[in-house]
Amino acid sequence: MLIEFLSALLLGAVIYDLVSHRLPNYYLLLGLLVGFAWQAWAYGWSGVISAGAGLLTGFALFVPLYVLGGMAAGDVKLMAVVGSFLGATGALWAGAYSLIVGSLLGILYLLYKGHLGKLVVRYWAMAATRSRIAAEEGDAARHRFPYAIAIAAGTLLSLYWTPI
């Protein structure tokens, strides 16, 4: 039941993100409430503690990316919701897989647009000059990326394939 509801929640988040490039707070709050309720129903107070630890872990994993401008706040909150379902260890695995999937999708998108070379040159120049160089107006690196896709894929991957 956990996997089914979490999968449905993530599917809804992906659809929201694809259509509107945002994740509504009411939708994320609903997911958070259900995550805590499920944990409490299944495991009692230890489940509530697990949900809280997962929420904090998921949030802590992605908030630095938000602060640096590489991720939207809704994506950080979605990872926190995922953590409330999976607990701290599950949130770590889901977050790690989500970052891997997101990186691969980003690289594939830049390859598709033919802008991977521009990105590599810009980051090489940034490393050499130790200063930030903004992407040009038409650069694919400036396009919005519906990261809920990566979070959904990474979370499901972590549920079905975790090497430990």
Side-chain angles (χ1 to χ4, degrees):
M1 183 163 137
L2 164 76
I3 293 175
E4 292 84 3
F5 187 82
L6 185 55
S7 298
L9 177 86
L10 290 170
L11 177 62
V14 167
I15 292 169
Y16 264 119
D17 207 8
L18 285 171
V19 171
S20 65
H21 292 288
R22 57 183 306 272
L23 296 170
N25 285 334
Y26 68 86
Y27 188 77
L28 296 171
L29 181 60
L30 172 68
L32 187 65
L33 292 173
V34 171
F36 269 85
W38 183 85
Q39 288 275 19
W41 176 76
Y43 303 108
W45 283 110
S46 65
V48 172
I49 292 168
S50 176
L55 175 134
L56 293 174
T57 302
F59 183 81
L61 281 174
F62 280 13
V63 80
L65 298 172
Y66 169 72
V67 170
L68 293 172
M71 183 172 288
D75 301 322
V76 176
K77 292 181 274 189
L78 179 61
M79 194 65 231
V81 170
V82 167
S84 74
F85 278 89
L86 302 180
T89 304
L92 282 172
W93 281 109
Y97 283 126
S98 296
L99 291 170
I100 292 168
V101 170
S103 298
L104 291 174
L105 289 174
I107 290 169
L108 289 173
Y109 180 73
L110 290 172
L111 280 171
Y112 170 73
K113 289 293 191 175
H115 290 196
L116 184 62
K118 286 183 182 181
L119 180 81
V120 170
V121 168
R122 187 172 63 254
Y123 277 96
W124 189 266
M126 285 173 33
T129 62
R130 294 189 175 140
S131 63
R132 183 163 163 67
I133 301 172
E136 298 170 6
E137 187 63 35
D139 199 341
R142 293 183 63 133
H143 295 176
R144 297 183 122 201
F145 182 75
Y147 208 80
I149 296 170
I151 294 172
T155 299
L156 294 176
L157 188 59
S158 76
L159 290 173
Y160 290 107
W161 185 70
T162 301
I164 292 178

